[in-house]
């Protein structure tokens, strides 16, 4: 399989007048198409910063980031945004659903940005809500759902545009173990269907769902372990 993500000497430094903080320090990683990679490390080690750079939400201070062979780290925001909306899906710990929109409208939203026709939007959303066992909640609002249900809606929204890559930041962090298990099973299933997944987690149990675990400390990669052979 070809490389989807490759970073070379990636640095991210935050500066204020008084202080300089190095969040990422010379990070070199490679993730192939179809992999499920877990990123672990203590709080403040740079996990979320790395995910934001990989997700093209933030740009590196120096170094290079190649996505599907294209150097994207130095692209202006408009071009990064274009690559992002056609290739990436995001799942966050806090769900990030819009309270004023129904379940259906939340899942539909990314397709409005990519100008998918209305009839196709409806069939795609309905198909995903069936898959996530959320069809009976399609007209409900986020506040009417349990945490596990909200996260399933968030996963549906993340995959509605069939992204090549899903970036998940502590996707089970706000869930009890049974709801967390459900979300991990959904991510595993998506990975088995060919979607590349990069997930930040504190949970050793969740990390084992990946085929590789990358551990960060003080903004640097300290270890990489194969959990199971990636095919």
């Amino acid at each position: 399989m070809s490389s989807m993500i490759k970073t070379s000497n990636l640095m991210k430094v935050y500066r204020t007048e008084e202080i300089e903080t190095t969040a990422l320090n010379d990070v070199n990683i490679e993730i192939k198409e179809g992999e499920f990679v877990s990123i672990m490390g203590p709080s403040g080690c740079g996990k979320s910063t790395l995910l934001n750079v990989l997700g093209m939400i933030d740009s590196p201070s120096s170094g290079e980031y190649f996505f599907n062979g294209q150097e994207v780290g130095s692209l202006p925001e408009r071009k990064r945004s274009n690559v992002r909306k056609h290739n990436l899906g995001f799942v966050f710990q806090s769900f990030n659903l819009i309270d004023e929109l129904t379940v259906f409208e939340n899942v539909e939203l990314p397709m409005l940005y990519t100008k998918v026709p209305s009839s196709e939007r409806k069939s795609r959303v309905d198909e995903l809500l069936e898959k996530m066992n959320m069809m009976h909640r399609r007209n409900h609002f986020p506040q009417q759902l349990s945490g596990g249900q909200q996260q399933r809606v968030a996963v549906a929204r993340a995959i509605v545009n069939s992204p090549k890559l899903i970036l998940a930041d502590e996707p089970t962090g706000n869930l009890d173990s049974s709801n967390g298990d459900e979300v991990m099973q959904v991510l595993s299933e998506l990975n088995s269907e060919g979607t590349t997944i990069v997930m930040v987690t504190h949970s050793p149990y969740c990390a084992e769902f990946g085929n590789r675990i990358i551990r960060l400390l003080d903004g640097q990669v300290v270890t990489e372990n194969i959990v199971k052979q990636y095919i």
Side-chain angles (χ1 to χ4, degrees):
M1 282 286 184
S2 59
S3 170
M4 175 175 278
I5 286 171
K6 188 170 186 177
T7 71
S8 175
N9 306 324
L10 209 62
M11 302 283 294
K12 183 65 185 180
V13 180
Y14 294 101
R15 292 183 179 89
T16 65
E17 282 179 20
E18 292 83 29
I19 197 163
E20 181 175 286
T21 306
T22 301
L24 296 175
N25 187 5
D26 210 24
V27 172
N28 295 285
I29 60 171
E30 184 170 1
I31 297 169
K32 297 195 180 300
E33 274 181 43
E35 275 201 279
F36 187 153
V37 174
S38 303
I39 298 174
M40 298 192 77
S43 293
C45 72
K47 300 186 302 294
S48 292
T49 302
L50 178 58
L51 212 65
N52 285 341
V53 171
L54 296 182
M56 300 171 228
I57 293 169
D58 208 347
S59 53
S61 303
S62 63
E64 295 176 307
Y65 168 30
F66 294 91
F67 179 76
N68 280 342
Q70 178 189 8
E71 208 291 313
V72 293
S74 58
L75 287 178
E77 166 53 26
R78 186 177 54 79
K79 289 188 175 175
R80 278 207 319 271
S81 169
N82 201 43
V83 176
R84 193 168 60 229
K85 71 184 180 187
H86 286 98
N87 294 282
L88 274 59
F90 294 88
V91 180
F92 301 96
Q93 177 177 347
S94 54
F95 318 132
N96 283 16
L97 299 175
I98 297 171
D99 289 341
E100 296 76 24
L101 300 182
T102 63
V103 163
F104 182 94
E105 291 164 340
N106 266 285
V107 177
E108 179 189 38
L109 194 59
M111 291 187 288
L112 296 176
Y113 297 128
T114 51
K115 299 183 169 54
V116 175
S118 171
S119 59
E120 191 181 336
R121 292 202 305 268
K122 182 181 183 308
S123 62
R124 262 201 238 175
V125 174
D126 284 351
E127 183 185 328
L128 275 180
L129 291 180
E130 283 285 0
K131 181 173 184 168
M132 297 291 168
N133 196 25
M134 289 298 295
M135 195 63 174
H136 61 301
R137 299 284 197 178
R138 77 197 292 276
N139 295 318
H140 289 209
F141 291 91
Q143 299 307 317
Q144 297 172 296
L145 308 177
S146 69
Q149 289 172 329
Q150 288 190 59
Q151 195 58 298
R152 275 185 289 173
V153 174
V155 172
R157 181 186 59 189
I159 64 175
V160 74
N161 272 330
S162 304
K164 296 180 176 72
L165 172 66
I166 289 178
L167 297 168
D169 195 355
E170 299 280 2
T172 65
N174 283 339
L175 304 177
D176 61 34
S177 57
S178 68
N179 279 314
D181 252 2
E182 239 175 69
V183 168
M184 290 311 303
Q185 293 297 342
V186 168
L187 290 176
S188 282
E189 195 178 310
L190 290 167
N191 178 243
S192 69
E193 292 166 1
T195 306
T196 307
I197 296 177
V198 179
M199 175 181 71
V200 160
T201 182
H202 275 108
S203 161
Y205 170 74
C206 291
E208 297 277 332
F209 279 83
N211 60 275
R212 187 155 53 106
I213 298 174
I214 295 174
R215 284 186 171 82
L216 295 184
L217 184 64
D218 297 333
Q220 293 182 301
V221 174
V222 286
T223 61
E224 288 195 46
N225 300 101
I226 304 292
V227 177
K228 49 183 174 277
Q229 205 53 47
Y230 156 65
I231 300 168

